[in-house]
């Protein structure tokens, strides 16, 4: 079971253009339920920079009171993921959005978390609006306490 109150989870999100907030909320709720995790465990959200103006994603970040990070396709494309997609590559320029974004945002020192940090791979949901949303969840890597004590802020 995942922690219920510690903010240790990073949600990587992919979605069709114009996906409703309700569809994103449903996808996130289902994904968290699969882990037995609470929304209170969510530390941050992440996606591709092509979605930086997506109203549903921005509204979700506000609702969850979490920062949201957007990464360029080139940064996402180099992150090793368990479920790359040729379709996603054709549309975005990277074989992964949700998994790669989750791992990048969960990482430390500018490096992505390893694929083993994914505690939920691609959870796909098609909402009542007919739009698709994908949620991947990674455990956030905590900075090493020794390196912080030594002043090496990662």
């Amino acid at each position: 079971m995942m922690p219920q109150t510690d903010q240790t989870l990073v949600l990587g999100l992919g979605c069709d253009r114009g996906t409703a907030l309700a569809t994103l909320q449903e996808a996130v709720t289902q994904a968290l339920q699969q882990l037995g995790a609470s929304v209170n465990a969510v530390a941050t959200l992440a996606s591709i920079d092509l979605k930086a103006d997506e109203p549903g994603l921005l509204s979700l970040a506000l609702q969850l009171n979490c920062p949201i990070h957007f990464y360029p396709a080139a940064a996402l494309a180099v992150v090793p993921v368990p479920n790359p997609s040729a379709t996603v590559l054709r549309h975005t320029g990277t074989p992964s959005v949700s998994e790669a974004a989750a791992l990048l945002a969960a990482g430390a020192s500018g490096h992505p978390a390893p694929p083993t940090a994914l505690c939920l791979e691609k959870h796909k949901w098609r909402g009542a609006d007919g739009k698709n949303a994908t949620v991947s969840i990674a455990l956030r890597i905590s900075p090493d306490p020794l390196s912080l004590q030594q002043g090496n802020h990662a």
Side-chain angles (χ1 to χ4, degrees):
M1 185 138 174
M2 299 303 305
Q4 294 298 300
T5 54
D6 292 339
Q7 292 184 316
T8 57
L9 301 180
V10 175
L11 304 185
L13 301 162
C15 65
D16 291 337
R17 181 60 68 188
T19 299
L21 174 60
T23 295
L24 291 165
Q25 290 168 323
E26 291 165 3
V28 166
T29 297
Q30 291 172 2
L32 289 169
Q33 285 176 344
Q34 287 185 44
L35 295 178
S38 163
V39 70
N40 294 328
V42 178
T44 192
L45 308 178
S47 192
I48 190 167
D49 62 2
L50 296 172
K51 303 293 181 176
D53 63 347
E54 192 64 42
L57 287 177
L58 298 173
S59 295
L60 183 66
L62 285 173
Q63 182 185 67
L64 297 178
N65 195 28
C66 289
I68 186 166
H69 302 281
F70 295 98
Y71 298 100
L76 296 171
V78 297
V79 177
V81 296
N83 300 291
S85 165
T87 301
V88 172
L89 177 61
R90 257 194 329 276
H91 291 284
T92 65
T94 177
S96 173
V97 171
S98 68
E99 288 178 334
L103 291 171
L104 271 175
S109 304
H111 299 287
T116 55
L118 281 174
C119 45
L120 181 72
E121 295 178 5
K122 292 164 79 167
H123 170 74
K124 299 176 187 178
W125 175 250
R126 186 179 193 94
D129 59 354
K131 303 289 186 173
N132 297 298
T134 304
V135 181
S136 297
I137 303 178
L139 284 171
R140 184 172 65 175
I141 294 176
S142 299
D144 177 19
L146 292 176
S147 69
L148 291 178
Q149 289 173 359
Q150 297 168 353
N152 299 330
H153 297 287

